[in-house]
Amino acid sequence: MTETAAQPVAAEVDAWLARFDSALTEGDTAAAAALFTEDSFWRDLVSFTWNLKTVEGRAGVKDMLDHTLARTKPRGWRTAEPPTAADGISEAWIEFETEVGRGRGHLRLRDGLAWTLLTTLYELKGHEEPRGAGRPHGVEHGADPDRETWLEAREREARELGHTTQPDVVIVGGGQGGIALGARLRQLGVPTIIVERNARPGDSWRKRYKSLCLHDPVWYDHLPYIKFPENWPVFSPKDKIGDWLEMYTRVMELNYWTSTTAKSARYDEAAGEWVVVVERDGQEITLRPKQLVMATGMSGKPNLPEIPGMDVFRGDQHHSSQHPGPDAYKGKKAVVIGSNNSAHDICAALWENGADVTMVQRSSTHIVRSATLLDIGLSALYSEEAVNSGVTTEKADLIFASLPYRILHEFQIPLYEQMKERDADFYDRLEKAGFQLDWGEDGSGLFMKYLRRGSGYYIDVGASDLVADGKIKLKNGVVDHLTEDAVVMTDGTELPADLVVYATGYGSMNGWVADLIDEATADRVGKVWGLGSDTTKDPGPWEGEQRNMWKPTQQEALWFHGGNLHQSRHYSQFLALQLKARSVGIDTPVYGLQEVHHTT
Amino acid sequence: MTETAAQPVAAEVDAWLARFDSALTEGDTAAAAALFTEDSFWRDLVSFTWNLKTVEGRAGVKDMLDHTLARTKPRGWRTAEPPTAADGISEAWIEFETEVGRGRGHLRLRDGLAWTLLTTLYELKGHEEPRGAGRPHGVEHGADPDRETWLEAREREARELGHTTQPDVVIVGGGQGGIALGARLRQLGVPTIIVERNARPGDSWRKRYKSLCLHDPVWYDHLPYIKFPENWPVFSPKDKIGDWLEMYTRVMELNYWTSTTAKSARYDEAAGEWVVVVERDGQEITLRPKQLVMATGMSGKPNLPEIPGMDVFRGDQHHSSQHPGPDAYKGKKAVVIGSNNSAHDICAALWENGADVTMVQRSSTHIVRSATLLDIGLSALYSEEAVNSGVTTEKADLIFASLPYRILHEFQIPLYEQMKERDADFYDRLEKAGFQLDWGEDGSGLFMKYLRRGSGYYIDVGASDLVADGKIKLKNGVVDHLTEDAVVMTDGTELPADLVVYATGYGSMNGWVADLIDEATADRVGKVWGLGSDTTKDPGPWEGEQRNMWKPTQQEALWFHGGNLHQSRHYSQFLALQLKARSVGIDTPVYGLQEVHHTT
């Protein structure tokens, strides 16, 4: 574990920073690269690269600096608090500035050389967010016959923006991602409209099945600027998080267009702007933003399988995202195809409501119990204990960001080995019931599955006991076809059904691009999400960062935002700064724009 | 200024606490009292007295202990952090517990004896608020055929409470006071209904004149549980604070009955409950709570003067609380009677909107410029600097509470002398324009005026310059009568008027009691607010605490709550604990129930 720094650690870190600063100031990129270990990683979030980029080894460091150093002009490297040392690694929180901004970072030294370096842009000079001592005054003192009150200004903005004035940014999708990004852009003074098809902010949660609660705990879920209060539940019920998002949207003064659908978008290269047609309360409106952000859900479009007989089946059938909840299915026979999170949640709610439920498992699934995940997987960074020991949410986000994706699984594997041991009886019972388990191809567990493919797991909040006890019936195998009243498996088994739920996952987010813009743009942008880990549903080559998320894409002025609440919070900062820089005309040459290796 | 503690200070405080603990444990109230200075103050908020009570000197301390010690059983006195010493005074943050609860306090020692002691009840044992590590889980893991979701539980509660089940507490008035108290009671699990005549939470702010902003800065204004974010304006515009209150009411899950008027209330002594008749959306409903809280605004009912000719005046005339704002009065002649906060704000807004405005000053007014008040009057406790130096809002509240009302003016006078000097030119200009200034009868300024009488001042946000420049015309004197189109002064001056605004203040809050319950109860409870300072509008004898606020009154189960946002936040804690104790049957013998010296 981490120990408090002894003086030598501080001296070691200071010496490294001084040498680094000196090499950078002299433009000696080889000398700077020589300060890194052979197996080093430098992850930069926007501050050097105007990109999210991880480079590896001395060659990677040198290449990045060769392309970015001259205009970045980094300086003022210093520690933000006393460094610590443990297990041969010295760790330091650092601060620095560049020609246009201020940065924060994290450094790990091994034998006096940088093993990992994280650099992140925190704010743009001259465009600091108005907060703390710089917060707005609110009232304008003095007498002014032309005074416009706060309410009048808000009402005027709502009246004009999108009609007589144009937003700089349009965000398609007003879930947690769009809302968090919208809040940051509002604070940065970037005129933005969020387009949301539902009638109220939070409806994307409210409309899901009624027993749904967040699977991530409260410490992991804060939005920017306003934290959940200390009486907030560990796992938010869906309607409660919906209410929070609604109030947040209101008090953060977002321009949030409800009951609005994005119909089409086209990039006008000559004008350098998008032509986005939306339908708002039945009326078509054309918006012309400079930047377009897709925040339509990292899960992308629902994957509805094509199974022979779907057209003859007489019961209810729908994708899990359309499932209305169990109320109508008491005493009915339900077949849920799939065995990940949604499948389990839906099966359990149906069983609780007195349905006869069968889960069809098509491939192995990774299962972790919620309490175990909390204790072993998250508590060091996101828990009451972490907060009490000084690991604020902001700090936890940076610590997590400082671990390179390339070696993240190495940190994860031992945690999942602990979980496996702790819950050995639980897993035994599940396997005895015929459930096919896995732990990810390299045993790295849930979070890596999430980052690589966004699927393939269930965080157990109770359904697994129902499966182990046979209360939720389990059928392994492949669906062959549907009849009028049953699901028939390839082994001939017939599963009588009044309801079939296709908990069959989601496609890549660029599917939304195909719908909204065109296929060519979707293909040019390519697959969204995943690391290129060369594991199931995350084909190589290695990408180094999440594909297309929160960073420039092959389509100018098109961006993707989203993920869980943690990602919506943390990465919205970097996306917002990229958008702000473009909005005020700061030069933003992108280093290492990602190549596209997969279209879906 | 305060210095960091040297070891001797810690030893001095520890020794005092040990002697105090020992005397209390032995029941030796004389020995305990001997640990106080002759001129000492012990302020207790609920922990010993089930009252808000300040006792003075050794005799006062002994009397309080003689009546409370045996059942309070205080123990575990300890410092919460290292004490400090400055100017011959040692200061310590302390913690302790009693038979039924846990307390926090503050101690000042002079020459080894207690000069001031503050003891406050923080929580009741076995009834701790669910927060931090004790927060609710949110989801109930496992499978349960009788599962009720969060939304179903909320909807059931809304359906049943006040109809098939009865609340323990009804709060009349859903402004900041009712909302803050309601939030604390919700966390304590006390079933509560807040009755509010407006259609939406926050409307009591929204409906006021349009240029209104809070006169207190953001650091002073936080509600419990959810702080304003760091981008919140220093002075909240009225509609923005309205929106915040609305969202707060929602996410704190208050049972808040909008568009509801309290029609009558009667205490059924035999049943030990109130019979409260309310009209909700046109329907009469009878509520039977155990406790009734008046949170109808510390200002009480509007004082509308009776002036001859009001019946013949043909223009608009209304009390300042009913003033719709300046929009309809462009180019019109307005006379505003009064020269306190509302009068100034209304005059300035009318002038900004092109009205011809005359302010009638009937008596001298205390004026402080907003920026000066912030810098000199508040910044030590409530400012960005205070927060950054570790003075949290909660700590600031306790520091402020630790200064005895009896000598509070002594701390205030030097601050106002500084303000007078800093803004000497400003005051010169005002006096030259004929404005009659005062600084309170003892020069103790604005906050003492607020505590003593709740009126008599203006926090200048710009109107004073208009007065000094003659843009707002000033007329000193007494109104004699109104004609069809003018206000006529006793000196014969005629002030032509299309509009007369009576910015003539408010009565005591027990006026609401007369309306809702009856005159006898209003008289029995007596005047609300004020300290008994024997200054204008605050007649003696000395009370020691705010009359009737947040503590038991002469009417069983009737309480008053309110004040500014600071008071609504801080004192709601103590009122909520008193109500909770009664709700769960904890014995709550009141020490020193206040006598009534004035009925209005």
Side-chain angles (χ1 to χ4, degrees):
Chain A
M1 288 305 300
T2 301
E3 295 141 29
T4 304
Q7 193 55 34
V9 183
E12 180 197 18
V13 170
D14 286 345
W16 189 91
L17 289 174
R19 282 200 302 272
F20 190 54
D21 186 41
S22 159
L24 296 182
T25 303
E26 289 162 21
D28 188 345
T29 58
L35 292 168
F36 286 73
T37 67
E38 286 288 3
D39 62 347
S40 60
F41 300 88
W42 182 350
R43 186 175 194 213
D44 180 62
L45 304 180
V46 184
S47 66
F48 279 67
T49 58
W50 292 107
N51 198 355
L52 311 191
K53 192 77 192 171
T54 301
V55 294
E56 302 188 6
R58 290 175 186 158
V61 169
K62 184 167 187 307
D63 185 72
M64 185 174 98
L65 286 174
D66 284 340
H67 287 86
T68 62
L69 181 59
R71 57 168 178 72
T72 303
K73 299 194 177 64
R75 50 193 182 258
W77 299 87
R78 60 190 177 278
T79 54
E81 56 184 81
T84 59
D87 305 329
I89 305 288
S90 302
E91 287 195 50
W93 291 99
I94 58 174
E95 296 174 343
F96 62 99
E97 60 182 287
T98 68
E99 188 66 6
V100 301
R102 294 181 194 87
R104 291 174 178 168
H106 185 272
L107 172 68
R108 287 185 186 86
L109 295 180
R110 203 178 59 207
D111 301 327
L113 296 177
W115 170 45
T116 69
L117 174 63
L118 171 72
T119 49
T120 75
L121 186 66
Y122 171 64
E123 64 186 359
L124 293 165
K125 294 177 183 173
H127 306 284
E128 294 81 3
E129 291 188 26
R131 53 174 156 183
R135 70 175 77 224
H137 203 64
V139 65
E140 281 172 49
H141 292 170
D144 174 8
D146 300 319
R147 180 189 298 275
E148 183 179 47
T149 68
W150 173 84
L151 182 63
E152 289 167 340
R154 277 293 285 145
E155 289 176 345
R156 181 176 51 75
E157 183 183 29
R159 216 165 40 237
E160 294 175 355
L161 191 66
H163 301 284
T164 58
T165 63
Q166 285 301 322
D168 275 20
V169 178
V170 164
I171 301 172
V172 179
Q176 60 216 23
I179 288 172
L181 179 63
R184 295 208 190 257
L185 290 171
R186 161 61 89 179
Q187 288 307 310
L188 287 167
V190 180
T192 301
I193 289 174
I194 302 171
V195 172
E196 167 61 38
R197 69 195 148 108
N198 284 306
R200 288 161 62 201
D203 274 357
S204 49
W205 283 102
R206 288 192 197 91
K207 287 190 167 178
R208 297 193 63 194
Y209 55 92
K210 74 175 188 175
S211 62
L212 178 65
C213 289
L214 298 198
H215 289 100
D216 291 322
V218 60
W219 308 279
Y220 192 71
D221 299 334
H222 294 297
L223 293 173
Y225 307 109
I226 308 179
K227 289 207 164 74
F228 294 110
E230 58 181 355
N231 51 27
W232 201 261
V234 177
F235 298 102
S236 294
K238 71 178 175 76
D239 296 282
K240 191 166 169 66
I241 200 81
D243 284 358
W244 184 263
L245 290 170
E246 185 172 8
M247 83 77 199
Y248 183 89
T249 301
R250 175 80 163 285
V251 300
M252 294 305 290
E253 302 181 24
L254 307 190
N255 293 299
Y256 189 99
W257 286 17
T258 54
S259 304
T260 303
T261 313
K263 310 279 283 185
S264 70
R266 173 176 65 80
Y267 191 59
D268 180 339
E269 286 204 34
E273 65 187 24
W274 289 92
V275 181
V276 183
V277 179
V278 306
E279 187 178 308
R280 187 184 193 191
D281 293 324
Q283 186 200 347
E284 273 205 358
I285 300 171
T286 300
L287 301 172
R288 294 183 167 270
K290 300 287 184 193
Q291 309 287 335
L292 182 63
V293 180
M294 302 295 290
T296 42
M298 57 73 66
S299 298
K301 295 170 63 181
N303 272 338
L304 200 62
E306 291 181 16
I307 303 174
M310 284 170 77
D311 53 336
V312 303
F313 181 68
R314 287 189 178 170
D316 288 358
Q317 55 182 333
H318 43 244
H319 188 263
S320 57
S321 60
Q322 302 298 316
H323 180 60
D327 290 348
Y329 303 107
K330 190 179 178 72
K332 304 282 174 129
K333 290 184 165 49
V335 173
V336 177
I337 299 175
S339 55
N340 291 342
N341 254 330
S342 296
H344 276 86
D345 281 342
I346 290 169
C347 284
L350 285 165
W351 179 86
E352 282 186 344
N353 212 52
D356 176 274
V357 189
T358 302
M359 177 189 287
V360 174
Q361 184 175 33
R362 303 174 301 160
S363 57
S364 67
T365 301
H366 172 45
I367 292 189
V368 184
R369 303 183 89 169
S370 175
T372 302
L373 185 63
L374 213 57
D375 290 350
I376 298 175
L378 275 174
S379 67
L381 293 182
Y382 299 98
S383 66
E384 204 68 32
E385 299 72 42
V387 173
N388 290 339
S389 67
V391 182
T392 60
T393 309
E394 293 72 21
K395 223 165 181 174
D397 287 351
L398 286 177
I399 293 172
F400 197 80
S402 77
L403 301 171
Y405 285 128
R406 175 78 91 173
I407 55 170
L408 189 52
H409 61 285
E410 296 174 18
F411 295 87
Q412 296 285 304
I413 291 168
L415 302 179
Y416 285 84
E417 284 170 352
Q418 280 181 58
M419 296 186 207
K420 195 180 218 167
E421 195 178 315
R422 167 165 150 169
D423 294 330
D425 291 349
F426 167 79
Y427 292 113
D428 271 359
R429 290 174 52 230
L430 266 177
E431 287 189 318
K432 277 182 190 139
F435 197 89
Q436 294 170 30
L437 292 166
D438 73 65
W439 292 82
E441 281 166 47
D442 52 4
S444 62
L446 189 139
F447 203 75
M448 293 312 302
K449 273 202 168 189
Y450 172 73
L451 291 173
R452 289 166 174 172
R453 52 180 281 198
S455 66
Y457 51 83
Y458 168 54
I459 299 174
D460 177 41
V461 291
S464 289
D465 276 338
L466 296 176
V467 172
D469 296 346
K471 289 172 177 167
I472 294 173
K473 296 168 194 163
L474 183 68
K475 176 64 193 169
N476 286 285
V478 176
V479 175
D480 186 74
H481 67 279
L482 272 66
T483 64
E484 286 189 356
D485 55 8
V487 173
V488 183
M489 307 294 291
T490 52
D491 69 1
T493 310
E494 193 158 316
L495 306 170
D498 302 305
L499 163 70
V500 178
V501 179
Y502 302 101
T504 42
Y506 298 83
S508 164
M509 230 202 281
N510 63 336
W512 300 115
V513 172
D515 287 358
L516 185 66
I517 307 172
D518 54 37
E519 287 282 358
T521 307
D523 288 350
R524 186 163 65 257
V525 165
K527 182 175 170 67
V528 179
W529 205 263
L531 300 169
S533 63
D534 204 16
T535 59
T536 306
K537 298 196 178 179
D538 183 29
W542 181 249
E543 303 276 359
E545 295 283 335
Q546 292 277 93
R547 287 185 193 91
N548 276 318
M549 293 300 297
W550 315 295
K551 61 179 183 176
T553 68
Q554 292 287 350
Q555 169 59 54
E556 198 183 333
L558 180 66
W559 309 80
F560 294 89
H561 178 56
N564 59 28
L565 280 152
H566 154 76
Q567 293 168 309
S568 294
R569 168 184 69 245
H570 190 226
Y571 287 100
S572 58
Q573 177 186 327
F574 306 109
L575 179 47
L577 288 169
Q578 293 174 79
L579 294 169
K580 174 67 178 179
R582 283 161 176 83
S583 168
V584 293
I586 292 172
D587 191 31
T588 57
V590 175
Y591 170 74
L593 181 67
Q594 76 166 37
E595 292 165 27
V596 172
H597 305 104
H598 308 278
T599 55
T600 55
Chain B
M1 290 303 300
T2 302
E3 293 140 29
T4 305
Q7 194 52 34
V9 183
E12 180 197 20
V13 170
D14 286 345
W16 189 91
L17 289 174
R19 284 199 301 272
F20 190 54
D21 185 42
S22 159
L24 296 182
T25 303
E26 288 162 21
D28 188 345
T29 59
L35 292 168
F36 286 72
T37 67
E38 286 288 2
D39 62 347
S40 58
F41 301 89
W42 182 351
R43 185 174 195 213
D44 180 61
L45 305 180
V46 185
S47 66
F48 279 67
T49 58
W50 291 107
N51 198 354
L52 311 192
K53 192 77 191 170
T54 300
V55 295
E56 302 187 7
R58 289 173 186 159
V61 169
K62 184 168 187 306
D63 186 74
M64 184 173 98
L65 286 174
D66 285 339
H67 288 86
T68 62
L69 182 59
R71 56 166 178 75
T72 303
K73 299 193 177 65
R75 51 193 182 258
W77 299 87
R78 61 190 176 277
T79 53
E81 56 184 81
T84 58
D87 304 329
I89 305 287
S90 302
E91 286 195 51
W93 291 99
I94 59 174
E95 296 173 344
F96 62 101
E97 60 182 287
T98 69
E99 189 66 5
V100 301
R102 295 181 194 89
R104 292 175 177 167
H106 185 270
L107 172 68
R108 288 186 186 84
L109 296 180
R110 203 179 57 208
D111 301 326
L113 296 176
W115 170 45
T116 70
L117 174 62
L118 170 73
T119 49
T120 75
L121 186 66
Y122 171 65
E123 64 187 357
L124 293 164
K125 293 176 183 174
H127 305 284
E128 294 81 3
E129 291 189 24
R131 55 174 155 184
R135 70 176 76 222
H137 203 62
V139 66
E140 281 172 49
H141 291 170
D144 175 7
D146 300 320
R147 179 191 298 276
E148 184 179 47
T149 67
W150 173 85
L151 181 64
E152 287 167 343
R154 277 293 285 144
E155 288 175 346
R156 182 176 51 74
E157 182 182 32
R159 213 164 42 235
E160 293 176 357
L161 191 66
H163 302 284
T164 58
T165 63
Q166 286 300 321
D168 276 20
V169 178
V170 164
I171 302 172
V172 180
Q176 61 216 22
I179 288 172
L181 179 62
R184 295 208 189 258
L185 290 171
R186 161 62 88 177
Q187 288 308 309
L188 287 167
V190 179
T192 300
I193 289 174
I194 302 172
V195 172
E196 167 62 38
R197 68 194 149 108
N198 284 306
R200 288 161 63 201
D203 274 356
S204 48
W205 283 103
R206 288 192 197 92
K207 286 189 168 179
R208 296 194 64 196
Y209 54 93
K210 73 173 188 175
S211 61
L212 178 65
C213 290
L214 299 196
H215 288 100
D216 291 323
V218 60
W219 309 279
Y220 192 73
D221 299 334
H222 294 297
L223 293 172
Y225 306 109
I226 308 180
K227 290 208 164 76
F228 294 110
E230 59 180 353
N231 51 27
W232 201 262
V234 177
F235 298 102
S236 294
K238 71 178 176 72
D239 296 281
K240 191 166 170 67
I241 200 81
D243 284 356
W244 184 263
L245 290 169
E246 185 172 10
M247 81 78 198
Y248 183 91
T249 302
R250 173 82 161 285
V251 300
M252 294 306 289
E253 304 181 23
L254 307 190
N255 293 299
Y256 189 99
W257 286 15
T258 54
S259 304
T260 304
T261 313
K263 310 278 284 183
S264 71
R266 175 177 63 79
Y267 192 60
D268 179 341
E269 286 205 33
E273 65 187 25
W274 289 92
V275 181
V276 184
V277 179
V278 306
E279 187 179 308
R280 187 184 194 192
D281 293 324
Q283 186 200 349
E284 273 205 357
I285 301 172
T286 299
L287 301 173
R288 293 182 169 271
K290 300 287 183 194
Q291 309 286 337
L292 181 63
V293 180
M294 302 295 289
T296 42
M298 57 74 64
S299 297
K301 295 170 61 181
N303 272 338
L304 200 63
E306 292 181 16
I307 303 175
M310 283 170 77
D311 54 337
V312 302
F313 180 68
R314 288 190 177 170
D316 287 358
Q317 54 181 332
H318 42 244
H319 188 263
S320 56
S321 60
Q322 303 297 317
H323 179 61
D327 289 348
Y329 303 108
K330 190 179 178 70
K332 305 281 175 132
K333 290 185 164 46
V335 173
V336 178
I337 299 175
S339 54
N340 290 341
N341 255 330
S342 297
H344 275 86
D345 280 343
I346 290 169
C347 284
L350 285 166
W351 179 85
E352 283 186 344
N353 212 51
D356 176 275
V357 189
T358 301
M359 177 189 285
V360 174
Q361 184 174 34
R362 302 175 302 161
S363 58
S364 67
T365 300
H366 172 46
I367 292 188
V368 184
R369 303 183 88 170
S370 175
T372 303
L373 185 64
L374 212 60
D375 291 349
I376 298 174
L378 275 174
S379 67
L381 293 182
Y382 300 97
S383 65
E384 204 68 33
E385 298 71 44
V387 172
N388 290 338
S389 68
V391 182
T392 60
T393 309
E394 293 72 20
K395 223 165 182 175
D397 288 349
L398 286 175
I399 293 172
F400 197 80
S402 77
L403 301 170
Y405 285 128
R406 175 78 91 174
I407 55 170
L408 189 52
H409 61 286
E410 296 174 19
F411 295 87
Q412 296 285 305
I413 290 168
L415 302 179
Y416 285 85
E417 284 170 353
Q418 280 181 57
M419 296 186 209
K420 197 181 218 164
E421 196 178 313
R422 167 166 151 168
D423 294 329
D425 290 348
F426 166 79
Y427 292 113
D428 271 359
R429 289 175 51 229
L430 267 176
E431 287 189 317
K432 275 182 191 139
F435 197 88
Q436 295 171 31
L437 292 167
D438 74 63
W439 292 81
E441 282 167 46
D442 52 3
S444 61
L446 189 139
F447 204 74
M448 293 312 302
K449 274 202 165 185
Y450 172 74
L451 291 172
R452 289 166 174 172
R453 53 180 282 197
S455 65
Y457 51 81
Y458 168 54
I459 299 173
D460 177 41
V461 292
S464 289
D465 276 337
L466 295 177
V467 172
D469 296 346
K471 289 171 178 167
I472 294 172
K473 296 168 194 165
L474 184 68
K475 176 63 194 170
N476 286 285
V478 177
V479 175
D480 187 76
H481 67 279
L482 270 64
T483 64
E484 288 189 356
D485 55 7
V487 173
V488 183
M489 308 293 292
T490 51
D491 69 3
T493 310
E494 193 159 316
L495 306 170
D498 303 304
L499 164 71
V500 178
V501 180
Y502 303 101
T504 44
Y506 298 84
S508 164
M509 232 201 283
N510 62 337
W512 300 116
V513 172
D515 286 359
L516 184 66
I517 307 170
D518 53 36
E519 286 281 357
T521 307
D523 288 350
R524 186 162 67 259
V525 165
K527 182 176 169 67
V528 179
W529 205 261
L531 299 169
S533 62
D534 205 17
T535 58
T536 307
K537 300 196 178 178
D538 183 31
W542 180 249
E543 303 276 358
E545 295 282 336
Q546 292 279 91
R547 288 185 192 90
N548 276 317
M549 293 300 297
W550 315 296
K551 62 179 184 177
T553 69
Q554 292 287 348
Q555 169 59 55
E556 198 183 333
L558 180 66
W559 310 80
F560 294 88
H561 178 56
N564 59 28
L565 280 152
H566 155 77
Q567 292 168 311
S568 294
R569 169 184 70 243
H570 190 225
Y571 288 100
S572 58
Q573 176 185 330
F574 306 108
L575 179 48
L577 288 169
Q578 293 174 80
L579 295 167
K580 174 68 180 179
R582 283 161 176 82
S583 169
V584 294
I586 293 172
D587 191 29
T588 57
V590 175
Y591 169 75
L593 181 66
Q594 76 165 41
E595 293 165 25
V596 172
H597 305 104
H598 309 279
T599 54
T600 55

